[in-house]
Amino acid sequence: MWTVLWFRPATMSTLLLLLLLSNLCRLGQSMSREEKLKLRNQVVEMFDHAYSNYMDHAYPADELMPLTCRGRVRGQEPSRGDVDDALGKFSLTLIDTLDTLVLLNKTTEFEEAVRRVLRDVRLDNDIVVSVFETNIRVLGGLLGGHSMAVMLKDTGYHMQWYQDELLHMAKDVGLRLLPAFNTSSGLPYPRVNLKHGLRSPESRTGTETDTCTACAGTIILEFAALSRFTGDPVFEVHARRALDFLWEKRQRNSNLVGTTINIHSGEWVRRDSGVGAGIDSYYEYLLKAYILLGDDLFLQRFNIHYASIMKYISQPPLLLDVHIHKPLLPARTWMDSLLAFFPGLQVLKGDIRPAIETHEMLYQVTKKHNFLPEAFTTDFRVHWAQHPLRPEFAESTYFLYKATKDPYYLEVGRTVLDNLNRFARVPCGFAAMKDVRTGSHEDRMDSFFLAEMFKYLFLLFAEEEDLTFNVEDYIFTTEAHLLPLSLSTAPHAPSPANATVQAPSLPHLSAYVKSLWSEEELDDSNFDWTCPNTRLLFPDPAFPRNLRDPIRSAVDKSCPRPAIHREPGMGRPPLRAQDFMANNPDHLELLRRMGVSLIHLKDGRVQLVQHATQAVSAVAAEDGMRFMQEMMELSSQQQKEQLPPRAVQIVSHPFFGRVVLTSGPAQFGTDLSKSIMGVRGFVTVAEPYSGCAELSNAAFVQGRIALLQRGQCMFAEKARHIMKAGAIGGIVIDDNEGSSSDTAPLFQMAGDGRNTDDVTLPLLFLFYKEGNILLEALKEYREVEVLLSDKARDRGRDVQEEEEDCSTDQTSPVPAATLDQSHVRTVEQDESAPHNEEVTPEEDVGPAIKRNPEPEEEPEVDKDSSRKSVEAMMADWREDLEAFQQMEDEL
């Protein structure tokens, strides 16, 4: 059995939250120590993947953008609204991760991270930030880091140089947040300027009137800890005042609070009440404030709120918002994912049965959608499809396992791990899910992913000997930062002398409150100090399973999921878009199994179309939909990160640089924007013209720039073949007759899904019209020399001075794209038919899907073009030069 005991700090030096006794009945088959070790090590490896990519690609930025492998710096990326208020240019992710490093036994990395924070982080930035987010992430992160540094220093092995530097920074943060509390109610403004505070002309904030209940009520742990660490009571006083005001403004009949409140008048702006977004951590901090600080007042308030939650909001296994004035009237028919923390809080409360029921409902929703959607309906369908890798479900899973030791929750944790690796893992970290239905990603990895997710998953699978310190000597904040329970005995601010408490309706609580305020010795018989004993609550070892099974059936009935059956060859993970090679027969077979077919378009592109009904199984159809979504993401990414046009300048007689052909770049090979001189050489047609096999005229190609025709294989394959022949560059000419840079958007050549670092020559793309000009010049003059560059060069360097008036050196430099590969250019999707999706790849295709079945031979130049007059050709050249200059100016 296990028992949760609440002890008054006045009589106990340490709060023992969970006493786990050894005679607990284990339900189901236990997981072996070896398997738990394997999963624990997997958690560490996943953390390393996320943390190292943040440090390598993002630091000192606040957060990592894992799709584009760069840091998110506020003001340099498009605004995301209120979400960006968490970013203050203070290396948020590093601060938020400090105590995670210690928990995962990475003390060396922790010491280095602390040194970085002290050396690099500035807190006086002229930037408006969220008071709530800065408190739980930055102040909490610094206090958690300080707690770990002190603990390690006391062991005598690490951090011997540490002199409370993180604590000094934490106090600096606290002082910068204090101006937000300058209101008549004591409720803080939602935002504050780190440098200028509030209301000054420079602050750009201080005019707000509303804040959320959680925003004002999730301050006490961090502020009280700061006061008790530093001996300065001002922080705890302000946090207590805010909590007191919220308590006074509760609806007295229902004892519930609303979601949004006016910080000046105390009027409820939004009167819906639940345990999810907007309120969640207010309830959490009432209970945890009692645990950390030992003030019975917080526990009494929590219990009154909790009774109302279970009476009105809890409809097991659902938790539905209600109106505070009419609590029997539902406020909405959907739930948000933030309420997933509540089963864990119920464990701390000791109310295990509803915790099991709600957690099981959340787990079944997770299994149907791979992640908890941001919001889902009462019949468990997606309401809001995003999932920013929130940790609340993992948190509750850990607490339920801690309380019951039921190995079922280890398997739940395994599911969380598998889904993160299968669906969210990307080369530069873990990406939030933009839509859990399709598996599409969002370019964000919030700091709380490192601060919380890996803590709870590590603790779930870790044995006691895996930990370097006793976790039960600490309490987790809402951001999972570790604050020592010993703070309960530290000097602190007294409760306000004029505080009044409305006596609860329950007689024993009323007696408790009276004895509390009369400063009489508390009679424990008047208060429920002990949570339910699971040996009595669950006399049948199968009882928890009996609670879960009906919920599983109810979810399946409301939102059925096809049975999982993975066909041979459809391994995990499935084919990813970034790995796809159109000339790989195995990949084509995998596409067929997923219901994806290829259609050849007249313009030479290949269109991918998915018909879910043609997939070999339901799971294969899901994999196909995910593959198509990834292809769309790659297309979108390419459009966002266009490379500037390049120039093919004919410099030989009689052109002398006057002809500049607009060309498209390749996302691999030599970056001409970094080459001062460009690449200059005579051109020759490759044999075969497609460049898809070893060249038969290698002797002629050596030392020259090879001309190639688009089609029949990947661009990178063409580049490798001409490199092998000794070419110094390549020009691919479009085979789509009539195409021109005048009418078509800039074309970028992508890689082949593999590493293209071996390609070290420049490769450019010419549309049919521009390519035909070059072929015509080659036919007429035999020896044609060109310059491949990022922009046209001043011809005065190469020819007579009279040619200088035609210089086209007008290009504005544009940074190269950060992605090294992209596979799609256009996307066609029927929104009304989500199971049929189409994607059009932009690269050449492999031999398995040839567009041109004719034998490979040197092309015949169009006879009409060969008869074109010199005047007409010069007119085309001037037109093309103007088009190139216009494209450069636009970029």
Side-chain angles (χ1 to χ4, degrees):
M1 83 181 168
W2 70 278
T3 307
V4 180
L5 301 179
W6 302 117
F7 293 98
R8 298 183 67 197
T11 58
M12 297 294 296
S13 60
T14 304
L15 288 173
L16 304 178
L17 303 183
L18 297 174
L19 294 180
L20 304 176
L21 304 184
S22 60
N23 57 341
L24 175 73
C25 295
R26 300 286 182 96
L27 304 182
Q29 185 176 0
S30 297
M31 181 179 288
S32 67
R33 289 178 65 91
E34 292 74 16
E35 188 66 16
K36 287 182 67 177
L37 175 63
K38 179 181 176 182
L39 292 171
R40 187 207 70 184
N41 291 339
Q42 186 176 359
V43 173
V44 175
E45 184 278 328
M46 292 166 65
F47 170 82
D48 289 341
H49 178 66
Y51 179 69
S52 62
N53 274 287
Y54 166 73
M55 296 304 296
D56 291 344
H57 299 293
Y59 181 81
D62 282 319
E63 289 180 342
L64 169 68
M65 300 174 68
L67 298 183
T68 51
C69 302
R70 67 177 189 267
R72 182 180 297 281
V73 179
R74 193 167 169 187
Q76 295 182 13
E77 301 292 336
S79 174
R80 300 176 298 170
D82 292 348
V83 175
D84 283 340
D85 287 344
L87 311 181
K89 297 183 179 179
F90 35 36
S91 301
L92 176 63
T93 297
L94 184 61
I95 291 177
D96 222 0
T97 308
L98 289 176
D99 51 7
T100 307
L101 290 166
V102 180
L103 185 68
L104 271 59
N105 302 331
K106 296 183 176 293
T107 52
T108 302
E109 292 87 341
F110 170 74
E111 191 159 357
E112 174 59 27
V114 172
R115 293 184 185 276
R116 283 179 179 268
V117 169
L118 300 180
R119 182 187 68 213
D120 299 339
V121 173
R122 291 187 56 184
L123 300 172
D124 61 345
N125 301 311
D126 181 10
I127 193 168
V128 176
V129 297
S130 162
V131 172
F132 168 76
E133 296 290 357
T134 305
N135 174 66
I136 65 171
R137 299 202 206 187
V138 181
L139 179 55
L142 292 170
L143 291 173
H146 170 69
S147 300
M148 295 294 97
V150 171
M151 181 272 296
L152 290 173
K153 184 177 181 179
D154 289 344
T155 64
Y157 296 105
H158 299 279
M159 302 296 294
Q160 296 305 298
W161 54 270
Y162 183 69
Q163 298 294 328
D164 295 345
E165 290 88 348
L166 291 178
L167 181 59
H168 300 324
M169 289 186 69
K171 185 172 183 179
D172 189 6
V173 174
L175 291 172
R176 294 179 187 280
L177 296 180
L178 275 183
F181 291 82
N182 187 22
T183 61
S184 58
S185 66
L187 298 180
Y189 282 92
R191 298 173 185 84
V192 69
N193 187 296
L194 289 176
K195 185 173 184 178
H196 300 292
L198 287 171
R199 295 183 178 175
S200 68
E202 298 88 359
S203 68
R204 304 185 303 282
T205 189
T207 60
E208 303 94 336
T209 58
D210 305 334
T211 192
C212 71
T213 301
C215 298
T218 312
I219 305 289
I220 185 65
L221 292 189
E222 292 82 5
F223 267 42
L226 182 58
S227 283
R228 300 190 182 201
F229 272 131
T230 62
D232 187 346
V234 64
F235 306 104
E236 185 171 345
V237 167
H238 279 86
R240 283 178 176 268
R241 185 179 176 219
L243 277 181
D244 290 343
F245 189 84
L246 288 174
W247 171 254
E248 289 299 319
K249 292 301 178 179
R250 76 193 185 283
Q251 211 290 321
R252 298 303 177 97
N253 293 322
S254 66
N255 280 316
L256 296 173
V257 293
T259 302
T260 307
I261 191 171
N262 185 292
I263 61 177
H264 304 295
S265 68
E267 293 293 322
W268 291 109
V269 179
R270 283 184 52 193
R271 301 185 178 188
D272 50 316
S273 183
V275 297
I279 302 179
D280 49 359
S281 49
Y282 163 69
Y283 294 132
E284 177 187 2
Y285 268 37
L286 283 176
L287 180 55
K288 290 183 175 180
Y290 164 70
I291 297 171
L292 179 66
L293 307 178
D295 190 333
D296 301 326
L297 182 65
F298 294 126
L299 179 60
Q300 178 247 335
R301 290 177 179 178
F302 172 80
N303 278 323
I304 292 173
H305 280 314
Y306 186 77
S308 293
I309 290 170
M310 299 310 292
K311 180 178 181 180
Y312 300 118
I313 295 172
S314 177
Q315 301 179 34
L318 308 180
L319 292 164
L320 294 176
D321 284 17
V322 299
H323 294 279
I324 58 175
H325 295 284
K326 298 179 180 179
L328 298 178
L329 181 64
R332 61 191 188 192
T333 58
W334 48 270
M335 296 164 279
D336 66 75
S337 63
L338 284 171
L339 61 76
F341 90 101
F342 198 67
L345 190 65
Q346 289 178 306
V347 170
L348 289 182
K349 162 68 178 171
D351 202 358
I352 306 301
R353 176 172 181 154
I356 291 174
E357 292 174 331
T358 298
H359 179 274
E360 182 62 22
M361 177 270 293
L362 296 169
Y363 182 41
Q364 295 305 316
V365 174
T366 296
K367 290 205 295 186
K368 292 187 179 303
H369 304 296
N370 301 317
F371 300 96
L372 273 180
E374 275 292 78
F376 52 94
T377 61
T378 53
D379 60 353
F380 315 114
R381 300 178 189 276
V382 173
H383 184 68
W384 295 336
Q386 305 94 327
H387 174 77
L389 306 182
R390 294 200 185 276
E392 286 79 12
F393 179 68
E395 174 185 359
S396 288
T397 302
Y398 161 66
F399 279 113
L400 271 169
Y401 177 69
K402 183 76 170 175
T404 67
K405 289 297 181 182
D406 187 344
Y408 177 82
Y409 296 108
L410 296 177
E411 294 302 328
V412 175
R414 188 204 301 268
T415 299
V416 173
L417 280 184
D418 288 346
N419 287 346
L420 284 172
N421 272 322
R422 183 181 178 193
F423 302 113
R425 186 166 183 148
V426 294
C428 285
F430 291 85
M433 307 306 295
K434 186 176 182 179
D435 192 321
V436 298
R437 295 164 298 189
T438 63
S440 59
H441 293 126
E442 190 174 353
D443 200 5
R444 64 185 283 195
M445 188 179 80
D446 292 81
S447 68
F448 55 67
F449 182 62
L450 286 163
E452 301 183 65
M453 181 70 81
F454 294 109
K455 279 196 185 85
Y456 293 125
L457 290 176
F458 181 83
L459 289 170
L460 178 64
F461 298 114
E463 300 290 350
E464 186 174 342
E465 57 267 25
D466 296 329
L467 304 176
T468 57
F469 62 96
N470 188 355
V471 180
E472 293 184 18
D473 290 340
Y474 298 82
I475 192 167
F476 288 111
T477 69
T478 194
E479 191 78 3
H481 293 306
L482 293 158
L483 299 178
L485 294 175
S486 58
L487 290 174
S488 63
T489 60
H492 61 280
S495 299
N498 60 347
T500 59
V501 180
Q502 178 179 336
S505 58
L506 297 177
H508 64 279
L509 285 180
S510 177
Y512 159 67
V513 173
K514 290 177 182 178
S515 67
L516 173 66
W517 289 106
S518 62
E519 297 185 355
E520 298 174 0
E521 181 63 29
L522 181 67
D523 181 1
D524 285 0
S525 64
N526 290 324
F527 197 85
D528 184 11
W529 290 101
T530 306
C531 298
N533 183 319
T534 57
R535 190 173 185 181
L536 302 177
L537 182 62
F538 304 148
D540 179 1
F543 187 68
R545 185 172 66 249
N546 293 337
L547 290 177
R548 292 191 291 257
D549 287 346
I551 296 170
R552 184 181 301 114
S553 300
V555 176
D556 285 339
K557 183 178 180 180
S558 297
C559 184
R561 177 185 178 90
I564 294 180
H565 173 67
R566 191 163 288 279
E567 293 289 323
M570 295 296 291
R572 300 176 69 175
L575 178 64
R576 304 295 298 269
Q578 61 262 34
D579 300 326
F580 173 64
M581 295 177 60
N583 62 345
N584 186 321
D586 293 336
H587 289 183
L588 298 177
E589 173 61 18
L590 289 175
L591 291 188
R592 184 193 68 78
R593 288 176 172 271
M594 294 189 295
V596 179
S597 56
L598 288 86
I599 299 175
H600 308 295
L601 303 179
K602 292 181 179 180
D603 62 1
R605 292 175 295 156
V606 175
Q607 190 173 65
L608 300 176
V609 181
Q610 190 207 18
H611 299 279
T613 56
Q614 297 179 8
V616 297
S617 68
V619 171
E622 285 188 8
D623 290 342
M625 183 175 293
R626 187 167 297 108
F627 174 84
M628 299 293 287
Q629 187 64 41
E630 288 179 352
M631 293 292 282
M632 294 181 209
E633 288 180 5
L634 290 170
S635 173
S636 175
Q637 201 63 56
Q638 180 188 14
Q639 293 172 5
K640 291 178 182 177
E641 302 196 9
Q642 286 282 337
L643 293 172
R646 303 292 187 238
V648 176
Q649 188 172 11
I650 306 179
V651 296
S652 56
H653 175 82
F655 307 98
F656 298 124
R658 287 176 295 190
V659 177
V660 181
L661 307 175
T662 303
S663 62
Q667 296 177 348
F668 56 88
T670 299
D671 184 354
L672 290 172
S673 67
K674 298 178 180 178
S675 173
I676 298 177
M677 302 302 297
V679 174
R680 180 169 178 166
F682 289 93
V683 298
T684 189
V685 176
E687 296 178 2
Y689 188 31
S690 67
C692 293
E694 190 169 333
L695 301 192
S696 60
N697 63 337
F700 296 99
V701 171
Q702 185 174 9
R704 290 176 171 248
I705 296 172
L707 302 182
L708 307 150
Q709 186 181 45
R710 180 185 182 186
Q712 303 184 26
C713 66
M714 308 296 283
F715 291 123
E717 185 176 349
K718 298 177 188 290
R720 292 186 179 101
H721 282 138
I722 63 173
M723 271 186 61
K724 186 176 181 181
I728 60 173
I731 299 173
V732 178
I733 299 174
D734 194 10
D735 62 346
N736 181 28
E737 186 172 351
S739 66
S740 168
S741 63
D742 298 337
T743 56
L746 182 67
F747 186 95
Q748 298 186 60
M749 294 179 288
D752 56 4
R754 297 180 294 170
N755 189 316
T756 53
D757 291 345
D758 59 313
V759 179
T760 57
L761 52 69
L763 193 69
L764 298 182
F765 179 87
L766 291 177
F767 282 107
Y768 183 87
K769 173 187 172 184
E770 289 77 12
N772 201 50
I773 291 175
L774 184 58
L775 290 172
E776 188 67 28
L778 182 62
K779 181 178 181 182
E780 179 74 18
Y781 298 103
R782 301 295 179 184
E783 288 292 327
V784 174
E785 189 178 16
V786 300
L787 173 66
L788 312 183
S789 61
D790 64 328
K791 58 185 177 181
R793 302 302 183 192
D794 187 344
R795 292 175 306 283
R797 300 174 186 172
D798 304 307
V799 296
Q800 293 87 347
E801 290 293 323
E802 60 265 23
E803 304 294 342
E804 291 179 354
D805 59 323
C806 296
S807 174
T808 61
D809 190 3
Q810 302 174 14
T811 304
S812 300
V814 178
T818 56
L819 294 183
D820 63 352
Q821 50 184 286
S822 180
H823 296 258
V824 291
R825 175 183 172 194
T826 63
V827 175
E828 300 175 18
Q829 182 180 12
D830 183 1
E831 295 293 343
S832 65
H835 295 294
N836 296 329
E837 303 190 28
E838 303 177 359
V839 176
T840 309
E842 193 170 61
E843 312 93 315
D844 282 9
V845 297
I849 46 174
K850 282 188 177 182
R851 291 188 296 256
N852 300 321
E854 295 82 13
E856 297 170 342
E857 59 184 21
E858 191 164 322
E860 294 183 5
V861 179
D862 190 291
K863 293 182 179 179
D864 293 335
S865 298
S866 65
R867 290 191 295 267
K868 185 183 269 187
S869 67
V870 175
E871 291 78 7
M873 289 180 65
M874 290 300 296
D876 278 343
W877 293 335
R878 285 191 294 270
E879 179 183 340
D880 197 71
L881 177 59
E882 293 172 358
F884 179 78
Q885 292 174 337
Q886 182 178 359
M887 291 183 71
E888 285 186 321
D889 292 341
E890 290 175 353
L891 288 170

